[in-house]
Amino acid sequence: MAAGASAPYFELDEEAPNIRAALDFYLSHEPEAAVSFIEALAGYWRTRGVINEARSWIGRALPLLREGSRKHSFLLCLAATFATLQDALAESLEFSESALAAYRAAGDQAGTAHAVFRIAEARHRQGRLDEAEPLYRDALEGFTASGESRGQMLCLGNLGMLDFQRREYHHASELLDEAIRRASVLRDRRIAGDFTITLGWVALRLADLARARTLFEEVLLEKGASRDRYGECAARHGIATVALKEAKLSEAFQEFVRTLETARELQLADYIVRALHGLAAVRSLDGNAEAAANLLGLADRLSSESGRDHRDSIAYEVASQVLGARLSGAENSRLRAAGQRLELEDAITDLQRSAR
C-alpha cells in the first residue's frame, strides 16, 4: 500500500514545487487521482522526514472521499502511519480504528490486516506490549493469507522490536534477521536499515559495543546517502548511546545534541525525549546533577504530553542511576519538577551553546 523504496527520490527533490502544484490541482479537480499521487509520494515524504507536509496533504484529501470507500480507508491507514511517527497516538488510533471498521464491513482481508497492523504500532509505541503482540500476530496472519509480503516482513520485524523491549534478545535477533532478509528480497533498503538499527540496540544490550557501533555507523552512512532524515536521526541516537557507554562523553554530547536538533525539526516526539535522556546522562556523568535532573524533568513532561512511556532507554537508566546516587530523593524530585517547567526551545539553545 505504500510507495516502494526504489522510488527515484533525488529526482523528486528537484520537482517538489511542481509536485505540490499538481497535488493542489488534483485535490481540487480529481480527488481520487490525488490519492494515487499521495500513495506514490508516501515513501518519499517518510524518507525525507517531511511528516507535517504528508499529514497536511492527507488531511486535505480525506474529506473529499466517500467514507467507507477503499481509497478513504487506505488514506486513514496512511494518516495513522504518519501520526504514529510523531507520537500523535490518539489520532493514529482514531484513524486506524475507523479504517478497520470500514475494511471489515467490506470484507477486505488485506485492508483489515493493514488497519490491525497500524493499531498494533500505536499500542506498541504506548508501551502496551501485551496488547500489541496479538495484534501483530493477527495482522501477520491476514498478510500471509492475502499474500502481502511486505506486510509479513513488517510484522516480523516489529515483533522482533517488541521482543527486544522485553529483553528477549536472542529471539529478537532471529526475528530481526529474518525481517532484514525479507526486506532485502523486496529491495526495501529503508526498512532493512530501520531493523538493522534495532539489531544495533540488541548488540548494545548484550554489551557488544564494537558491533553496535559498526551497525549504527553503517546505517547512518546509508541513511545519509539516501537523505533519510528520520533514519539518520535514529542511527545517530544509537551512535551517541554507544559513545555514552564507551565513556566518550564529548562525542556523546555532540551526537545527542545533533539528534535533538533533527528530532525537533522533524517534530519526532520520541527522539526528542530520548535525546534529552541522553543529554541528561552525559550531564550526570560530568558532574552537573542539577542540569541532568532538569533535562529529565523536561523529558517527563514531553512524554506525558505524547501519551507514551519513553523510559526504556539505556541513557535514561544511566542518568537515573547516577542521579539516584548523587541526589537525595527530595532534591531529585524538586529539580525534575523544575525541569518540567522548562521550554524545549530554551533548553535546546543552552545545549547548542554548550556544544560549540
Side-chain angles (χ1 to χ4, degrees):
M1 290 174 73
S6 59
Y9 291 158
F10 293 106
E11 295 176 18
L12 293 181
D13 287 339
E14 299 173 3
E15 293 297 322
N18 293 332
I19 288 170
R20 293 184 182 109
L23 270 172
D24 250 334
F25 173 84
Y26 282 123
L27 285 171
S28 298
H29 298 87
E30 299 178 48
E32 294 207 356
V35 176
S36 298
F37 208 175
I38 287 169
E39 179 178 5
L41 289 166
Y44 171 73
W45 287 328
R46 165 62 175 77
T47 297
R48 291 295 181 266
V50 288
I51 298 167
N52 281 341
E53 180 172 358
R55 294 184 69 187
S56 175
W57 288 116
I58 295 167
R60 286 180 57 185
L62 273 170
L64 304 178
L65 301 170
R66 180 176 58 82
E67 290 188 18
S69 69
R70 188 181 182 283
K71 287 184 180 292
H72 187 265
S73 299
F74 163 75
L75 272 189
L76 285 170
C77 280
L78 200 58
T81 301
F82 283 105
T84 296
L85 288 172
Q86 292 188 327
D87 275 352
L89 300 179
E91 289 181 72
S92 176
L93 286 166
E94 184 178 345
F95 289 134
S96 51
E97 286 168 356
S98 295
L100 177 60
Y103 278 132
R104 280 180 170 164
D108 186 332
Q109 186 176 47
T112 296
H114 279 282
V116 170
F117 177 79
R118 296 306 167 194
I119 294 170
E121 275 193 316
R123 294 299 185 204
H124 192 168
R125 285 217 176 201
Q126 288 175 326
R128 296 161 72 169
L129 306 187
D130 290 341
E131 293 181 33
E133 181 179 6
L135 289 167
Y136 281 136
R137 296 199 182 281
D138 285 349
L140 177 59
E141 184 178 337
F143 285 133
T144 302
S146 57
E148 288 262 4
S149 299
R150 189 171 187 274
Q152 294 171 52
M153 173 266 291
L154 289 171
C155 285
L156 289 171
N158 281 18
L159 284 166
M161 294 168 71
L162 190 150
D163 276 349
F164 164 73
Q165 289 174 278
R166 288 175 166 162
R167 304 188 181 230
E168 298 171 5
Y169 300 129
H170 295 293
H171 192 234
S173 292
E174 292 174 5
L175 287 169
L176 290 163
D177 283 336
E178 176 60 16
I180 292 166
R181 184 192 69 77
R182 292 184 183 218
S184 298
V185 170
L186 294 170
R187 298 185 180 180
D188 196 328
R189 296 174 65 183
R190 178 178 67 79
I191 294 296
D194 291 348
F195 289 143
T196 299
I197 289 172
T198 306
L199 271 183
W201 288 105
V202 171
L204 249 178
R205 285 294 188 182
L206 294 174
D208 191 345
L209 301 185
R211 181 167 187 256
R213 181 178 279 276
T214 296
L215 289 170
F216 289 137
E217 289 180 344
E218 287 177 352
V219 174
L220 181 62
L221 282 174
E222 182 165 324
K223 297 291 189 182
S226 63
R227 301 180 196 169
D228 180 347
R229 308 247 4 256
Y230 187 100
E232 282 185 281
C233 185
R236 191 176 300 285
H237 178 66
I239 292 170
T241 307
V242 173
L244 177 70
K245 295 295 286 182
E246 292 171 336
K248 298 177 180 177
L249 298 188
S250 178
E251 178 190 358
F253 186 82
Q254 296 286 340
E255 296 293 357
F256 281 129
V257 168
R258 293 180 71 182
T259 299
L260 180 59
E261 290 171 338
T262 303
R264 184 267 310 265
E265 181 185 345
L266 302 181
Q267 295 188 30
L268 305 177
D270 181 19
Y271 282 101
I272 289 172
V273 169
R274 293 188 185 279
L276 289 171
H277 288 167
L279 291 159
V282 173
R283 285 296 188 230
S284 68
L285 289 169
D286 68 17
N288 195 336
E290 180 175 351
N294 286 165
L295 289 169
L296 286 185
L298 174 57
D300 287 343
R301 192 192 84 226
L302 296 176
S303 290
S304 177
E305 290 173 356
S306 74
R308 180 177 180 185
D309 182 3
H310 297 73
R311 297 176 184 178
D312 59 351
S313 71
I314 290 171
Y316 182 83
E317 293 165 11
V318 170
S320 297
Q321 182 177 4
V322 174
L323 291 179
R326 295 185 179 177
L327 298 173
S328 69
E331 187 69 0
N332 197 353
S333 297
R334 183 184 68 79
L335 291 170
R336 285 178 75 150
Q340 290 189 23
R341 296 190 291 272
L342 293 175
E343 293 297 329
L344 177 61
E345 292 304 317
D346 293 337
I348 290 174
T349 298
D350 288 343
L351 291 163
Q352 290 171 327
R353 190 178 298 118
S354 300
R356 290 179 190 141

